[in-house]
Amino acid sequence: MLSGLTDVPGSEVQWFPLIAAMGGALALFLYGLERMTRALKAVAGSRLRGVLEMLTTNRLSGVAAGAFMTALLQSSSVTTVLLVSFISSGLMSMSQSVGVIMGANVGSTVTAQIIAFKVTELSFALIGVGFGLTLIPKPSYLRHHGEGILGLGLIFLGMTIMSDAMAPLRDYPPFVDWMIRMESPALGIAAAALFTGLVQSSAATTGIVIAMASQGLLSLSAGVALILGANIGTCVTAVLAAIGKPREAVRAALVHVLFNVMGVLIWLPFLGILADMAVWLSPSDPALAGSARMAAETPRQIANAHTLFNVTNVVLFLPFSTLLARLVERLVRDRPEAQEELIRALYLDTALLPTPSLALDQARREVGRLLEKVKEIFRAALPVVMDGSPDKMEAVRAQDDAIDALHRHIVGYLGRINESALSDEETAELLRLAAATNAIENVGDVIETDLIGRGFTRERGQLKISDETRAVIRGFHEEVGRALDGAHLAVAKRDSVSARRVIAQKPHIQQLADEAARHQIRRLVAHRGAGLPEYAVETDIVEDLRRIYYFAKRIAHGVVDDEPDRPDD
Amino acid sequence: MPPSAFPDSREILVGVDFSADSEAALVWAADFASALGCRLHVLHVAHDPADDPGFYRRESGGEPVRLEEIAKRMLDEFLDGVRSHCAALAEIDVSSHVTVGLPETRILEYAGEVDARLVVLGGQGQNALIDTLLGSRAERVVRHAKIPVAVVRASESGAERVD
């Protein structure tokens, strides 16, 4: 493909074209990998969370989940970042992640297996078909699949160009000598670990290694050492993802590092055996000889050695995973428990922003948490409004500061999600969550400003709400509380049944409001108008509760995608 | 005159992990608190055991809920179950608390926060083999605590496990 680079006399190498071709081909390879990963995330993103949560209840299922997820996403780094994020949010424990981390190592070997195929002609067909599918506007899953196929084609094309670019190096003695030195395991492992740590991509290292092997530039021993180094280098991503995160997430990153480093150290004296087993497992091409045979056989052998290494490590380490988990607990101690920050967002992890479906999941959790906090002050508000001292009312009112702060965090996070390319469904979900967040914050404001304000009016005027009126208001408060509970379920679990139940409460709410109004009028008449200040406060309280119900209904409407009514409808 | 073994604090802390031994510890601590007129703090540290990943997740019924929230529910159910057969627990002032972290660290921290005069723990956790091989969390608390620690084992007749 790159004939200009191969027309070199003797041992001369045209360095600039070679480096430019290598750089461009590597960029093409990584771009293809990124497109394919993005497509897979779009197709399977939210289901992956379900896979992780449902299957991580024992070590074996965790291994399966990690392997499946990483093979699907073509990146153990993405799996690790997701784990760190879930652990930081308190949705998973480090103990659950041990099996997943081991499985992710196995899943990451799929990349090497794919790119070990020699598919130059297929790459153009994949690019053509993939690009064609991306032009189809609907349904969106065709576009996503097209993007994945296009990405795969670009990966193969990048590999081919990289491989052709390195062809002149076959006749360049200093490079050949350097490759022979890579057969020293320590040097090969260290070089690959450093490179992978710097570029943050074991796929890049794997791609280069297999491209070199396909040109007969690399022996199996050297290739195996480099692939093992990539295994270690990829731990850098896990460590970086855990910086600033809770200790449990740091422990998970340490499990990743220990598993990979110890795995390599154990295999170090047995690399020859690993290479022999890989040769035994791989197809051979006896019709070829010398470097041509090496070029034909070595890529698959390296890929199989990579798979064999990771699978046997899982088999070896899985029985000792409890000890590994306890070891990291001893190595990473707890920090003193910080006072709970009411305003700290628990789920809004920026590491998930590149995966919009997962980021939206986390945003939904945070919105559910916001509504939970609003429900707490809603329950606390009525007793202090009807009877509480100014200090108690101020204490409840102050809780709205946390609501406002969390609201800002959520809105900011949704804004950042919006900066990514979103599917139609994701855009709709983002808008629903934004609307729900604003409605919840409005409930907080009604409580803080209006409802608590009635309490202060009652207190300043030394007004007394009668026992009968209290009972009426309490009944109304409970009914509105049920609406908030239903809205909470509707948002947190996307439960349209709960949402419709909230909407269906409207007639009953109206009936209760009317009954409250009639009760208050009767009392006013009975006291011949003497209780006018009490009447005003009680009426305002009922009206505030009614408005809160309408915000709950607005939240529920968002879930069932109907147009929300205005509060005075 | 030697300083009193029991300072002015009237707080007793019992750590529970829902094992049979921790249930026995809770019952014993409730009786002790009742006899001395002390307040009982029941602490559960939400921490997936290393040998039993998914300990909390299995209780969630597949809901995507924070492990700490699951632990709170489990603690409430555990306390309700023990109250049904421990009269002392129903009579004394009890507060319950769930935190996250390593049990031995958080127990000692919380004991300091509530100014506990005594910590009560179950002898072994959920996995007796691992505790025997690697040392139990109770042993680590005993080693680092600055206040008395009582370690309680379920009797041979077996404390009835609350489900």
Side-chain angles (χ1 to χ4, degrees), chain A residues 527-544:
Chain A
H527 288 96
R528 299 175 199 277
L532 201 54
E534 286 85 350
Y535 170 81
V537 165
E538 291 159 5
T539 308
D540 286 342
I541 291 173
V542 170
E543 181 55 27
D544 292 337

PDB file of all heavy atoms in Angstrom, chain A residues 527-544:
ATOM      1  N   HIS A 527     -67.392  32.191  63.469  1.00  0.00           N
ATOM      2  CA  HIS A 527     -66.769  33.170  64.356  1.00  0.00           C
ATOM      3  C   HIS A 527     -67.104  34.602  63.959  1.00  0.00           C
ATOM      4  O   HIS A 527     -66.486  35.534  64.451  1.00  0.00           O
ATOM      5  CB  HIS A 527     -65.237  32.993  64.337  1.00  0.00           C
ATOM      6  CG  HIS A 527     -64.785  31.756  65.057  1.00  0.00           C
ATOM      7  ND1 HIS A 527     -64.527  30.575  64.400  1.00  0.00           N
ATOM      8  CD2 HIS A 527     -64.602  31.505  66.377  1.00  0.00           C
ATOM      9  CE1 HIS A 527     -64.167  29.666  65.282  1.00  0.00           C
ATOM     10  NE2 HIS A 527     -64.213  30.190  66.491  1.00  0.00           N
ATOM     11  N   ARG A 528     -68.080  34.713  63.089  1.00  0.00           N
ATOM     12  CA  ARG A 528     -68.560  36.017  62.620  1.00  0.00           C
ATOM     13  C   ARG A 528     -67.402  36.884  62.124  1.00  0.00           C
ATOM     14  O   ARG A 528     -67.299  38.058  62.454  1.00  0.00           O
ATOM     15  CB  ARG A 528     -69.313  36.766  63.733  1.00  0.00           C
ATOM     16  CG  ARG A 528     -70.524  36.033  64.227  1.00  0.00           C
ATOM     17  CD  ARG A 528     -71.130  36.803  65.405  1.00  0.00           C
ATOM     18  NE  ARG A 528     -71.988  35.938  66.183  1.00  0.00           N
ATOM     19  CZ  ARG A 528     -73.257  35.650  65.898  1.00  0.00           C
ATOM     20  NH1 ARG A 528     -73.842  36.191  64.833  1.00  0.00           N
ATOM     21  NH2 ARG A 528     -73.970  34.858  66.657  1.00  0.00           N
ATOM     22  N   GLY A 529     -66.471  36.271  61.399  1.00  0.00           N
ATOM     23  CA  GLY A 529     -65.364  37.004  60.780  1.00  0.00           C
ATOM     24  C   GLY A 529     -64.225  37.326  61.716  1.00  0.00           C
ATOM     25  O   GLY A 529     -63.230  37.940  61.300  1.00  0.00           O
ATOM     26  N   ALA A 530     -64.302  36.877  62.980  1.00  0.00           N
ATOM     27  CA  ALA A 530     -63.241  37.246  63.928  1.00  0.00           C
ATOM     28  C   ALA A 530     -61.938  36.517  63.624  1.00  0.00           C
ATOM     29  O   ALA A 530     -60.871  36.986  64.004  1.00  0.00           O
ATOM     30  CB  ALA A 530     -63.692  36.941  65.363  1.00  0.00           C
ATOM     31  N   GLY A 531     -62.058  35.360  62.953  1.00  0.00           N
ATOM     32  CA  GLY A 531     -60.847  34.577  62.708  1.00  0.00           C
ATOM     33  C   GLY A 531     -60.245  34.861  61.350  1.00  0.00           C
ATOM     34  O   GLY A 531     -59.679  33.964  60.733  1.00  0.00           O
ATOM     35  N   LEU A 532     -60.334  36.088  60.875  1.00  0.00           N
ATOM     36  CA  LEU A 532     -59.871  36.388  59.511  1.00  0.00           C
ATOM     37  C   LEU A 532     -58.378  36.160  59.314  1.00  0.00           C
ATOM     38  O   LEU A 532     -57.973  35.563  58.308  1.00  0.00           O
ATOM     39  CB  LEU A 532     -60.246  37.843  59.159  1.00  0.00           C
ATOM     40  CG  LEU A 532     -60.294  38.168  57.657  1.00  0.00           C
ATOM     41  CD1 LEU A 532     -61.204  37.227  56.902  1.00  0.00           C
ATOM     42  CD2 LEU A 532     -60.751  39.615  57.466  1.00  0.00           C
ATOM     43  N   PRO A 533     -57.498  36.602  60.247  1.00  0.00           N
ATOM     44  CA  PRO A 533     -56.063  36.338  60.043  1.00  0.00           C
ATOM     45  C   PRO A 533     -55.765  34.841  59.969  1.00  0.00           C
ATOM     46  O   PRO A 533     -54.967  34.402  59.149  1.00  0.00           O
ATOM     47  CB  PRO A 533     -55.397  36.983  61.262  1.00  0.00           C
ATOM     48  CG  PRO A 533     -56.362  37.990  61.758  1.00  0.00           C
ATOM     49  CD  PRO A 533     -57.722  37.419  61.454  1.00  0.00           C
ATOM     50  N   GLU A 534     -56.409  34.053  60.856  1.00  0.00           N
ATOM     51  CA  GLU A 534     -56.187  32.593  60.815  1.00  0.00           C
ATOM     52  C   GLU A 534     -56.666  32.037  59.476  1.00  0.00           C
ATOM     53  O   GLU A 534     -56.015  31.190  58.854  1.00  0.00           O
ATOM     54  CB  GLU A 534     -56.940  31.885  61.956  1.00  0.00           C
ATOM     55  CG  GLU A 534     -56.324  32.071  63.336  1.00  0.00           C
ATOM     56  CD  GLU A 534     -56.775  33.347  64.019  1.00  0.00           C
ATOM     57  OE1 GLU A 534     -57.427  34.186  63.353  1.00  0.00           O
ATOM     58  OE2 GLU A 534     -56.467  33.527  65.209  1.00  0.00           O
ATOM     59  N   TYR A 535     -57.829  32.537  59.050  1.00  0.00           N
ATOM     60  CA  TYR A 535     -58.390  32.069  57.778  1.00  0.00           C
ATOM     61  C   TYR A 535     -57.404  32.302  56.640  1.00  0.00           C
ATOM     62  O   TYR A 535     -57.189  31.425  55.801  1.00  0.00           O
ATOM     63  CB  TYR A 535     -59.714  32.805  57.515  1.00  0.00           C
ATOM     64  CG  TYR A 535     -60.258  32.590  56.117  1.00  0.00           C
ATOM     65  CD1 TYR A 535     -60.976  31.438  55.793  1.00  0.00           C
ATOM     66  CD2 TYR A 535     -60.054  33.552  55.114  1.00  0.00           C
ATOM     67  CE1 TYR A 535     -61.466  31.235  54.507  1.00  0.00           C
ATOM     68  CE2 TYR A 535     -60.547  33.352  53.834  1.00  0.00           C
ATOM     69  CZ  TYR A 535     -61.248  32.202  53.547  1.00  0.00           C
ATOM     70  OH  TYR A 535     -61.735  32.006  52.263  1.00  0.00           O
ATOM     71  N   ALA A 536     -56.783  33.504  56.633  1.00  0.00           N
ATOM     72  CA  ALA A 536     -55.853  33.851  55.545  1.00  0.00           C
ATOM     73  C   ALA A 536     -54.663  32.901  55.537  1.00  0.00           C
ATOM     74  O   ALA A 536     -54.253  32.384  54.490  1.00  0.00           O
ATOM     75  CB  ALA A 536     -55.382  35.301  55.697  1.00  0.00           C
ATOM     76  N   VAL A 537     -54.091  32.646  56.732  1.00  0.00           N
ATOM     77  CA  VAL A 537     -52.910  31.771  56.821  1.00  0.00           C
ATOM     78  C   VAL A 537     -53.272  30.347  56.402  1.00  0.00           C
ATOM     79  O   VAL A 537     -52.563  29.708  55.627  1.00  0.00           O
ATOM     80  CB  VAL A 537     -52.334  31.793  58.263  1.00  0.00           C
ATOM     81  CG1 VAL A 537     -51.359  30.644  58.468  1.00  0.00           C
ATOM     82  CG2 VAL A 537     -51.646  33.109  58.540  1.00  0.00           C
ATOM     83  N   GLU A 538     -54.406  29.870  56.920  1.00  0.00           N
ATOM     84  CA  GLU A 538     -54.804  28.479  56.611  1.00  0.00           C
ATOM     85  C   GLU A 538     -55.068  28.311  55.116  1.00  0.00           C
ATOM     86  O   GLU A 538     -54.674  27.311  54.507  1.00  0.00           O
ATOM     87  CB  GLU A 538     -56.052  28.110  57.422  1.00  0.00           C
ATOM     88  CG  GLU A 538     -55.792  27.984  58.912  1.00  0.00           C
ATOM     89  CD  GLU A 538     -57.066  28.137  59.733  1.00  0.00           C
ATOM     90  OE1 GLU A 538     -58.164  28.251  59.135  1.00  0.00           O
ATOM     91  OE2 GLU A 538     -56.964  28.162  60.967  1.00  0.00           O
ATOM     92  N   THR A 539     -55.729  29.300  54.541  1.00  0.00           N
ATOM     93  CA  THR A 539     -56.026  29.224  53.100  1.00  0.00           C
ATOM     94  C   THR A 539     -54.732  29.215  52.289  1.00  0.00           C
ATOM     95  O   THR A 539     -54.590  28.455  51.325  1.00  0.00           O
ATOM     96  CB  THR A 539     -56.878  30.435  52.667  1.00  0.00           C
ATOM     97  OG1 THR A 539     -58.014  30.539  53.513  1.00  0.00           O
ATOM     98  CG2 THR A 539     -57.346  30.292  51.232  1.00  0.00           C
ATOM     99  N   ASP A 540     -53.784  30.061  52.711  1.00  0.00           N
ATOM    100  CA  ASP A 540     -52.503  30.116  51.993  1.00  0.00           C
ATOM    101  C   ASP A 540     -51.745  28.797  52.104  1.00  0.00           C
ATOM    102  O   ASP A 540     -51.100  28.346  51.148  1.00  0.00           O
ATOM    103  CB  ASP A 540     -51.633  31.254  52.548  1.00  0.00           C
ATOM    104  CG  ASP A 540     -52.129  32.619  52.106  1.00  0.00           C
ATOM    105  OD1 ASP A 540     -52.907  32.682  51.131  1.00  0.00           O
ATOM    106  OD2 ASP A 540     -51.740  33.623  52.744  1.00  0.00           O
ATOM    107  N   ILE A 541     -51.814  28.169  53.303  1.00  0.00           N
ATOM    108  CA  ILE A 541     -51.130  26.879  53.474  1.00  0.00           C
ATOM    109  C   ILE A 541     -51.712  25.847  52.505  1.00  0.00           C
ATOM    110  O   ILE A 541     -50.981  25.115  51.824  1.00  0.00           O
ATOM    111  CB  ILE A 541     -51.246  26.371  54.939  1.00  0.00           C
ATOM    112  CG1 ILE A 541     -50.428  27.257  55.878  1.00  0.00           C
ATOM    113  CG2 ILE A 541     -50.774  24.917  55.043  1.00  0.00           C
ATOM    114  CD1 ILE A 541     -50.618  26.941  57.350  1.00  0.00           C
ATOM    115  N   VAL A 542     -53.038  25.824  52.439  1.00  0.00           N
ATOM    116  CA  VAL A 542     -53.687  24.856  51.534  1.00  0.00           C
ATOM    117  C   VAL A 542     -53.285  25.147  50.082  1.00  0.00           C
ATOM    118  O   VAL A 542     -52.993  24.234  49.302  1.00  0.00           O
ATOM    119  CB  VAL A 542     -55.220  24.905  51.708  1.00  0.00           C
ATOM    120  CG1 VAL A 542     -55.906  24.096  50.610  1.00  0.00           C
ATOM    121  CG2 VAL A 542     -55.612  24.368  53.074  1.00  0.00           C
ATOM    122  N   GLU A 543     -53.249  26.411  49.730  1.00  0.00           N
ATOM    123  CA  GLU A 543     -52.882  26.778  48.370  1.00  0.00           C
ATOM    124  C   GLU A 543     -51.426  26.388  48.059  1.00  0.00           C
ATOM    125  O   GLU A 543     -51.105  25.904  46.973  1.00  0.00           O
ATOM    126  CB  GLU A 543     -53.080  28.285  48.167  1.00  0.00           C
ATOM    127  CG  GLU A 543     -52.760  28.777  46.766  1.00  0.00           C
ATOM    128  CD  GLU A 543     -53.512  28.057  45.645  1.00  0.00           C
ATOM    129  OE1 GLU A 543     -54.631  27.545  45.896  1.00  0.00           O
ATOM    130  OE2 GLU A 543     -52.964  27.956  44.533  1.00  0.00           O
ATOM    131  N   ASP A 544     -50.529  26.566  49.043  1.00  0.00           N
ATOM    132  CA  ASP A 544     -49.126  26.171  48.850  1.00  0.00           C
ATOM    133  C   ASP A 544     -49.035  24.661  48.614  1.00  0.00           C
ATOM    134  O   ASP A 544     -48.291  24.196  47.730  1.00  0.00           O
ATOM    135  CB  ASP A 544     -48.277  26.535  50.082  1.00  0.00           C
ATOM    136  CG  ASP A 544     -48.138  28.040  50.259  1.00  0.00           C
ATOM    137  OD1 ASP A 544     -48.299  28.774  49.263  1.00  0.00           O
ATOM    138  OD2 ASP A 544     -47.889  28.474  51.405  1.00  0.00           O
TER     139      ASP A 544
END
